[in-house]
Amino acid sequence: MINFQIRPDKLAEEMVDYSRKLGQGIENLIDVGEIDTGVSARTPVYREDKLVLYRYDRPQGVTASNDTPVLIVYALVNRPYMTDIQEDRSTIRGLLETGQDVYLIDWGYPDSSDFALTMDDYINGYIDRCVDHVCEAHGLDSINILGICQGGTFSLCYTALHPEKVRNLVTMVTPVDFKTPDDVLSAWVQHIDIDMLVDTVGNIPGEMLNWTFLSLKPFSLTGQKYVNMVDLLDDPKKVKNFLRMEKWIFDSPDQAGETFRQFIKDFYQKNALIAGEAEIGGARVDLGNVTCPVLNIYAQQDHLVPPDATTPLGGHIGSNDYSELAFPGGHIGIYVSGRAQKELTPAIGKWLNAR
């Protein structure tokens, strides 16, 4: 038996401090004001349906170091402002400070009119037209692409189908092998009747997806973090940063039904990408066609895209210039942690500038 020794005076002191933090926290929560997201100046340069392509302004005093712009392709899950969530937590700002010219695709919020959109529409349609727009704006035949999570998988498919338009490819926390033993999300979806789900609900509600992701780590993501929140309630800046993350977590667009159907059935259930059997728009996606330089970045504690789900990439592409960068963090920490700001974006900028 463990002998707990609780001193009454220390216990009383803890309770008083806890009550003080709660009291101060209520005042800070009342005064928090609007929760802003997306901190870097940007200009919309192309629109199509609900998609908006943004170009970001380079900070004053930073000179261009790369004539080839980089296009960020985010996942259809959650919102892309994760990459620019606050002043001192911005992947986009970090890239700009390395002299990159940065563009980003914002997919918007699909509604029932988007139900029939397929992966062909997203990859050979929207992404291809954004790439064409950026190429034309800069007088180039090819650009750099940085794909994030599901957006990384889309970027891999795009590069395999349009290799002549991609100069360099960076993939971040991108699933490639969708059936690794430690992939809990994959295990959950293997036996789901996706056809019945999509035929019943149409577009997949973002709220349903969000709670699925949170349920992968129910104690830390739905309970413990709110207990820990008490320790930061007396700091107005930390309260606002916490709420900013909460806003992003629960800002979950619905997903177009047909795209969700194909992505889950072909990629998760059949593992068709790594098997060379995935088809987009009637064309087979051959990763061997990815011959440009590739930098594959993954998070060592990623519970959504475990390292084993992404590191096989190097053995399946045709590129002779393949690098990996392992980050000691999780799926979100790779964008918002202080270490990521100091180490990751400078490393991406250096890699791009060298090519």
Side-chain angles (χ1 to χ4, degrees), residues 18-139:
Y18 191 83
S19 298
R20 181 190 60 78
K21 288 180 177 177
L22 283 177
Q24 182 64 50
I26 291 173
E27 293 183 18
N28 289 336
L29 288 170
I30 292 174
D31 297 336
V32 74
E34 184 179 355
I35 304 298
D36 55 337
T37 52
V39 295
S40 299
R42 63 183 186 176
T43 304
V45 295
Y46 176 76
R47 295 179 186 272
E48 182 180 354
D49 300 331
K50 297 176 179 65
L51 176 154
V52 182
L53 175 65
Y54 290 99
R55 182 181 186 181
Y56 285 82
D57 298 343
R58 194 175 295 116
Q60 285 189 341
V62 177
T63 57
S65 60
N66 196 330
D67 293 333
T68 305
V70 58
L71 172 65
I72 297 177
V73 180
Y74 198 76
L76 303 178
V77 181
N78 289 110
R79 300 285 292 139
Y81 58 74
M82 166 56 70
T83 58
D84 189 39
I85 198 161
Q86 66 187 58
E87 293 284 346
D88 57 346
R89 299 286 190 274
S90 171
T91 301
I92 286 175
R93 178 160 296 187
L95 290 172
L96 290 169
E97 290 175 347
T98 67
Q100 310 303 314
D101 205 339
V102 180
Y103 289 80
L104 176 141
I105 297 175
D106 185 337
W107 301 111
Y109 294 85
D111 59 26
S112 58
S113 67
D114 299 307
F115 167 78
L117 287 176
T118 63
M119 289 184 66
D120 179 33
D121 294 315
Y122 278 102
I123 294 170
N124 290 321
Y126 291 136
I127 293 177
D128 190 46
R129 287 188 284 277
C130 286
V131 169
D132 286 346
H133 179 91
V134 178
C135 283
E136 183 177 353
H138 292 262

Side-chain angles (χ1 to χ4, degrees), residues 138-149:
H138 292 262
L140 298 170
D141 295 326
S142 62
I143 61 171
N144 299 325
I145 291 181
L146 190 158
I148 293 175
C149 191

